[in-house]
Amino acid sequence: MEIPPISAAARHVLCAVALIAPLHAQDSGVQIGWASNAFATNLRADGTTTFGGTPVTIQFELGAFKQGFDPTVRPQSEWAANWVVLQSTAYDTVENQFIQTATLTSNSPPFAEDSAAFIWGFTTKDTSSANAEWIVLSADNWKWPSAATPTIETFSVSDVTTASEILVGSVNGTFNGTSYHMMLEAVSVAVPEPSGIAFTGLAGLAFLLRRKR
């Protein structure tokens, strides 16, 4: 049986929400369905291990970066401190996807109307960890709606079609002959080895001794 695109599935979920509580839409805010394709192949950074192939839980968050913070020009080590989460969820290793419905109740920064929304998937946000792997996406049509308007929005990973919409990781590609929906990218920041630190310290000491002569 052919599996329908997740964007269509997410719309069905959101329509159900709208039918259940239409009278409370104004009070509860705007509903946002965010999801990846169901029963898809999603790979870790090694290009071989699937998201469910290890005990590591892959987390996904819908959110935005703080006002004035541009992740395209700032180091990845600063991203987590400038990130604001609207909703988070764990990757489902049975259906091989993530899918949630978030409620946006305010357009206070960084969720200003028509500003960019992001989906961030990760093993850990700690860039000093050797196990840090991320995927960070923001499709051109992922814009925060007005929280005062009773609409239903859908942010699907299948919306991402160009390289400019991908900050880290990749989507809908092929690696070593395996087609995948999402693939994480290693983002660990190299930490100087003790020998390198010692060498730097000795070099600095030598410089000071020369200046004293």
Side-chain angles (χ1 to χ4, degrees):
M1 180 180 69
E2 185 177 353
I3 299 166
I6 192 60
S7 55
R11 285 189 177 90
H12 287 312
V13 172
L14 291 177
C15 285
V17 172
L19 289 171
I20 292 171
L23 298 178
H24 300 286
Q26 292 275 9
D27 298 330
S28 60
V30 59
Q31 303 297 301
I32 302 173
W34 55 293
S36 63
N37 286 5
F39 306 107
T41 298
N42 298 299
L43 301 176
R44 296 284 300 276
D46 61 11
T48 301
T49 308
T50 63
F51 282 14
T54 64
V56 176
T57 299
I58 312 297
Q59 294 286 334
F60 283 86
E61 293 177 346
L62 173 65
F65 290 96
K66 292 180 180 178
Q67 193 170 21
F69 184 83
D70 184 353
T72 65
V73 298
R74 302 301 302 170
Q76 292 172 339
S77 58
E78 297 180 4
W79 289 16
N82 289 279
W83 172 251
V84 181
V85 180
L86 178 63
Q87 188 181 43
S88 62
T89 190
Y91 179 79
D92 186 335
T93 57
V94 175
E95 297 189 354
N96 294 330
Q97 70 168 154
F98 67 84
I99 180 169
Q100 280 292 342
T101 301
T103 302
L104 181 68
T105 59
S106 170
N107 286 118
S108 298
F111 305 118
E113 187 176 355
D114 291 329
S115 63
F118 294 82
I119 290 177
W120 186 347
F122 56 90
T123 54
T124 174
K125 291 181 184 174
D126 182 3
T127 55
S128 67
S129 169
N131 298 318
E133 298 179 16
W134 298 352
I135 183 168
V136 185
L137 313 169
S138 180
D140 291 339
N141 65 323
W142 292 357
K143 304 297 183 184
W144 297 112
S146 169
T149 304
T151 59
I152 298 174
E153 300 291 333
T154 304
F155 298 159
S156 170
V157 172
S158 61
D159 297 334
V160 180
T161 58
T162 65
S164 62
E165 297 174 309
I166 306 170
L167 277 68
V168 180
S170 59
V171 299
N172 299 326
T174 302
F175 185 83
N176 286 343
T178 299
S179 297
Y180 61 83
H181 180 46
M182 293 184 290
M183 182 172 173
L184 300 180
E185 178 181 337
V187 295
S188 299
V189 176
V191 177
E193 304 223 348
S195 57
I197 296 174
F199 178 79
T200 302
L202 289 173
L205 179 60
F207 175 77
L208 290 175
L209 290 175
R210 284 199 300 272
R211 293 195 62 181
K212 287 183 177 181
R213 290 180 180 177

